[in-house]
Amino acid sequence: MSNTRSDATRARIEAELTDPLAALGLDVEAVELSPAGKRRVLRVAVDKDGGVTLDDVADATREVSRVLDDSDVMGETPYLLEVTSRGVDRPLTLPRHWRRNVTRLVRITPVEGEQVTGRVRSSDEDGVDVEIDGEVRRFGYAEVAKALVQVEFNRKNEDEDD
């Protein structure tokens, strides 16, 4: 029962934050609420085209605090607020996630077939083009069970010569 209440609270928090953060040019990517002793931890992940800067996170933190202070959504229980960028460990689930990761290496687990790793070449509202072993393959979003960006520590700029 408390999971349902927690899910409803998370959904309400996200609904309250979506428009104010959109006014800052930010998308709400995740809202997580977890118990931590006698208080709770509220984590809000944000993103935008071009990536999130520290100034964006600071602006978002002030705006989230203001919205929550003006609302009763968090109730009387004390909470710790953490506002972060989306990070590379979150799955690519929406067209904007793919668009923001063009040129990045991704590992895709298709609904059917073997897991593949390739570079995102382009995306649109219907699907994504991924270069795998020199050939571009099209995936409709419904064909992707899971996709994660792969961290590349020595990634070369695409404009550089080999």
Side-chain angles (χ1 to χ4, degrees):
M1 191 85 155
S2 67
N3 254 355
T4 304
R5 188 173 0 155
S6 177
D7 290 345
T9 300
R10 244 188 344 268
R12 185 168 167 222
I13 292 167
E14 185 171 346
E16 298 241 358
L17 297 177
T18 298
D19 289 342
L21 290 176
L24 297 175
L26 299 168
D27 295 313
V28 177
E29 290 295 336
V31 173
E32 299 170 359
L33 189 59
S34 55
K38 294 183 184 216
R39 61 182 170 178
R40 297 172 289 174
V41 176
L42 173 62
R43 288 181 188 88
V44 178
V46 297
D47 199 11
K48 72 175 186 178
D49 288 355
V52 176
T53 67
L54 286 175
D55 287 340
D56 293 326
V57 171
D59 292 343
T61 301
R62 282 189 291 276
E63 189 62 9
V64 170
S65 292
R66 184 195 65 75
V67 169
L68 295 177
D69 287 349
D70 292 348
S71 166
D72 65 347
V73 69
M74 292 301 292
E76 297 298 317
T77 306
Y79 65 92
L80 174 66
L81 174 62
E82 295 178 5
V83 178
T84 67
S85 66
R86 184 172 188 281
V88 296
D89 59 338
R90 295 188 187 274
L92 306 177
T93 58
L94 299 171
R96 71 174 180 246
H97 300 157
W98 292 94
R99 182 185 73 241
R100 291 173 178 161
N101 284 286
V102 168
T103 77
R104 301 290 303 268
L105 195 64
V106 295
R107 176 168 289 141
I108 299 172
T109 305
V111 172
E112 293 182 16
E114 302 262 334
Q115 188 177 73
V116 295
T117 300
R119 197 160 303 282
V120 179
R121 290 300 172 202
S122 65
S123 70
D124 56 34
E125 290 303 309
D126 299 317
V128 59
D129 295 319
V130 180
E131 184 178 333
I132 303 165
D133 297 328
E135 292 189 25
V136 175
R137 180 171 164 195
R138 177 80 175 174
F139 290 91
Y141 296 122
E143 297 173 58
V144 178
K146 185 175 183 181
L148 291 170
V149 171
Q150 301 300 291
V151 176
E152 298 177 87
F153 292 106
N154 294 317
R155 182 173 173 211
K156 289 181 77 173
N157 183 323
E158 298 238 332
D159 297 331
E160 291 179 19
D161 294 327
D162 290 310

